[in-house]
Amino acid sequence: MLGRVFSAIAGNKAAEHVRGVNGTTGALLGLAAPTLLRRMGPLGLIAAVAGGYAYKRYTEGRDASKAPAAQPAGFAEPTRTQA
């Protein structure tokens, strides 16, 4: 029983870092995760970890290609030329 409370709290905290998931949904996912992981078995767990890693690499690569060009920070004084 105490493990379910801890997993719900962990799911709630993890939801803060996931776009589109609020705290209640994260708590429910955290509550259901241990049951799902037990039913998947070791091969299912390995497949889930590999899929999560592949998805992370895919999104990082997609975000890196969208990154804007670097702009200088702060105030830059205009270049002066001699007349």
Side-chain angles (χ1 to χ4, degrees):
M1 182 67 177
L2 192 59
R4 290 184 181 207
V5 172
F6 286 138
S7 65
I9 292 170
N12 186 13
K13 291 295 181 183
E16 295 173 0
H17 303 286
V18 178
R19 207 174 21 205
V21 178
N22 62 15
T24 306
T25 305
L28 291 174
L29 289 173
L31 188 64
T35 304
L36 293 174
L37 292 175
R38 255 183 296 193
R39 290 185 184 260
M40 285 177 15
L43 290 177
L45 181 60
I46 292 169
V49 168
Y53 178 73
Y55 181 72
K56 176 182 171 257
R57 294 286 303 229
Y58 168 74
T59 56
E60 285 177 351
R62 188 181 61 191
D63 292 343
S65 66
K66 289 183 183 178
Q71 298 291 328
F75 175 76
E77 191 166 331
T79 306
R80 296 180 186 209
T81 58
Q82 284 186 324

